[in-house]
Amino acid sequence: MIVQFLVTVFDNPGRFLAILLLIAQLVGSAGTYPIELVPGALQSLHPWLPMTHAIRGLRAVISSGDFLIMWKEAAILLATAAVFALATLVYFLLRYRRRYAVWTETAAQT
């Protein structure tokens, strides 16, 4: 949903931002390396990256079978998806309203 939002709102620069987000997530989500080995800037981003929550939930189920942690992380991911889906919807509604208002004004003038 984050990539959809970025691409919808910013078009090609949004695609670039999505790639940067993907790179930040690969490094800063502690999926490849422990978070302690990552640079400080990415350590501060670590709790905010969606892939962090996916990895935490997966690790909890695989290693300890603790489904409570998995459901908590799934809820965070679902909330993130909902926020960005809603933001995309708001963007489309505003864009439609702006376009429809121009069309209505043009039709009223004729």
Side-chain angles (χ1 to χ4, degrees), residues 47-68:
W48 300 99
L49 297 172
M51 195 179 291
T52 297
H53 301 290
I55 291 170
R56 277 187 197 159
L58 184 64
R59 283 183 179 161
V61 170
I62 289 174
S63 63
S64 67
D66 190 355
F67 285 94
L68 186 62

Side-chain angles (χ1 to χ4, degrees), residues 35-55:
I35 195 63
E36 295 80 18
L37 299 179
V38 176
L42 288 172
Q43 285 183 14
S44 63
L45 281 178
H46 173 72
W48 300 99
L49 297 172
M51 195 179 291
T52 297
H53 301 290
I55 291 170

Side-chain angles (χ1 to χ4, degrees), residues 1-9 18 84-85 88-89 92:
M1 295 296 171
I2 296 172
V3 172
Q4 176 183 337
F5 173 76
L6 291 173
V7 171
T8 301
V9 173
F84 281 96
T88 303
L89 179 64
F92 277 124

Side-chain angles (χ1 to χ4, degrees), residues 18 26 53 66 99 108-109:
L26 288 173
H53 301 290
D66 190 355
R99 184 175 289 172
Q109 292 174 358

Side-chain angles (χ1 to χ4, degrees), residues 67-84:
F67 285 94
L68 186 62
I69 293 173
M70 188 263 315
W71 285 115
K72 177 188 163 211
E73 301 301 334
I76 292 171
L77 288 171
L78 184 62
T80 302
V83 164
F84 281 96

